[in-house]
Amino acid sequence: MDTMGDLTAALDASPTSDPTSKSSMANDASRMAEVKAWLLCQFEAAGRNVPAFEFTPRVVAHLHSMASLSQVRSRAASIVADDLRLKASEYRAEAVRIREILERVGLSREQLSPGAIGSAQIVAGVANLLNIRDTEMSSFLVAMGDLSLRKADVEERRAKVQKESKVLLEYTRKAIAKLNDLKKTLAKFENEVGMHEAQMLQWQTNLAILDSKERQYMLQLNNYKAILNRVGYTSDINHGVLMEMAEHKKDLEKKTKPILDTLRSYQDLPPDKALAALAIEDKKRQYAAAEKYLEEVLQSALTTSEI
């Protein structure tokens, strides 16, 4: 059965207009009649009058679902109540039968001593505690066996939990030890912060200096590359090639020295224009031949280095 508070809350719900078709009007009317009859029954049982409210499709649907659920629960409760009343009557009849049997054998409650009554009550309490239906020895043995099995299972789980607890405790101890080590390491690092900060500042200063030097050296390198490009330097010219060219230069100087000496001797010639012109033309031819020879030697040296 639903409470009156639930009914009042359902009645206080804000109405909303849901569209309905003409084919469902008859069904809505029957549902409204069922709801009104259910409300009248519930409020009369509570000694109250049915409050006036507006029946909207939403309210009717909600109250109809509540009525259906209430009726189902009422039928279920009625069935359970009837079953309990039947069992109670059976227990009362069984109690009367057992009382008659006990009175016939002289074991009625009035004839028992207080100690016997106390023992019977203890046996009944133990039976209720073990959740057994009778006080037969077999029932007690089965219940005790089941209790022993449950005890063994509990002890096994307890041992497992204790083992896991020991493992966790060991992990906790190790974690605490590691935490202490980390704290010591942190304190050590905090104490060394000043020294490392000074060292970092020195490194930063050195880094700035190195960066400046790098830019300076890169600028000088670019300048040297530009100079080498202007003078026609290539990667084929190396120390060995330069040494060979120096040797060839020395050889050419040795070969051209007599020519130069001869040219110097012509300075002592008489100032005869025709002879001087002839001598000059001859020396020019010799000088051109010497330059050509020098070029051939240099070209052969470069060709040899490339090979």
Side-chain angles (χ1 to χ4, degrees), residues 127-196:
N128 291 329
L129 182 63
L130 295 175
N131 195 21
I132 57 179
R133 300 182 61 183
D134 51 43
T135 58
E136 295 291 335
M137 182 61 69
S138 59
S139 299
F140 278 103
L141 292 176
V142 172
M144 292 299 294
D146 182 63
L147 188 62
S148 299
L149 292 176
R150 292 169 58 187
K151 179 184 177 183
D153 183 54
V154 170
E155 289 179 349
E156 182 180 356
R157 285 185 291 179
R158 181 182 177 185
K160 183 178 178 180
V161 170
Q162 288 179 349
K163 184 177 179 181
E164 293 177 354
S165 299
K166 291 181 180 179
V167 174
L168 292 176
L169 181 61
E170 186 64 24
Y171 287 160
T172 304
R173 290 175 180 173
K174 292 180 179 180
I176 292 173
K178 289 183 179 180
L179 178 61
N180 293 330
D181 293 339
L182 290 174
K183 287 182 178 180
K184 293 179 181 179
T185 305
L186 178 60
K188 180 181 178 182
F189 288 159
E190 289 178 350
N191 294 330
E192 295 177 355
V193 165
M195 179 180 65
H196 289 296

Side-chain angles (χ1 to χ4, degrees), residues 199-266:
Q199 189 174 6
M200 287 297 294
L201 291 174
Q202 182 65 31
W203 288 348
Q204 289 179 357
T205 304
N206 295 338
L207 183 62
I209 295 172
L210 292 175
D211 186 52
S212 176
K213 289 292 185 181
E214 180 185 6
R215 290 194 297 269
Q216 180 182 354
Y217 293 154
M218 290 298 295
L219 181 60
Q220 292 179 358
L221 178 62
N222 293 328
N223 294 333
Y224 292 151
K225 286 182 178 179
I227 293 172
L228 291 175
N229 290 330
R230 285 199 301 269
V231 299
Y233 173 79
T234 61
S235 59
D236 297 331
I237 300 175
N238 51 34
H239 181 69
V241 174
L242 293 176
M243 293 299 294
E244 291 179 0
M245 293 176 67
E247 293 293 333
H248 287 296
K249 181 181 178 182
K250 291 179 180 180
D251 294 338
L252 291 175
E253 288 177 349
K254 290 180 181 179
K255 293 179 180 179
T256 56
K257 186 177 180 181
I259 298 174
L260 292 175
D261 293 338
T262 305
L263 290 175
R264 291 190 187 97
S265 65
Y266 287 141

Side-chain angles (χ1 to χ4, degrees), residues 4 38 56 97 111 122 159 171 207 241 246 254 288-289 302-303:
M4 298 305 298
W38 177 72
T56 62
R97 187 182 68 82
Q111 295 177 353
I122 292 173
Y171 287 160
L207 183 62
V241 174
K254 290 180 181 179
L302 292 175
T303 305

Side-chain angles (χ1 to χ4, degrees), residues 41-105:
C41 178
Q42 298 299 320
F43 279 93
E44 285 181 354
R48 297 173 59 184
N49 296 325
V50 180
F53 60 93
E54 182 182 0
F55 286 98
T56 62
R58 182 179 179 183
V59 172
V60 172
H62 185 65
L63 290 177
H64 186 268
S65 63
M66 290 180 62
S68 301
L69 181 61
S70 176
Q71 290 172 0
V72 170
R73 290 181 177 178
S74 297
R75 286 193 295 270
S78 177
I79 293 172
V80 173
D82 293 340
D83 183 65
L84 292 176
R85 282 192 290 270
L86 178 61
K87 289 181 178 180
S89 63
E90 291 177 354
Y91 291 154
R92 284 193 292 269
E94 184 67 15
V96 170
R97 187 182 68 82
I98 293 174
R99 186 181 300 109
E100 290 176 354
I101 293 173
L102 291 175
E103 289 176 353
R104 290 174 186 174
V105 297

Side-chain angles (χ1 to χ4, degrees), residues 24-38 60 64:
S24 62
M25 292 180 63
N27 187 22
D28 293 342
S30 63
R31 293 174 64 183
M32 186 178 297
E34 293 177 2
V35 168
K36 289 181 178 180
W38 177 72
V60 172
H64 186 268

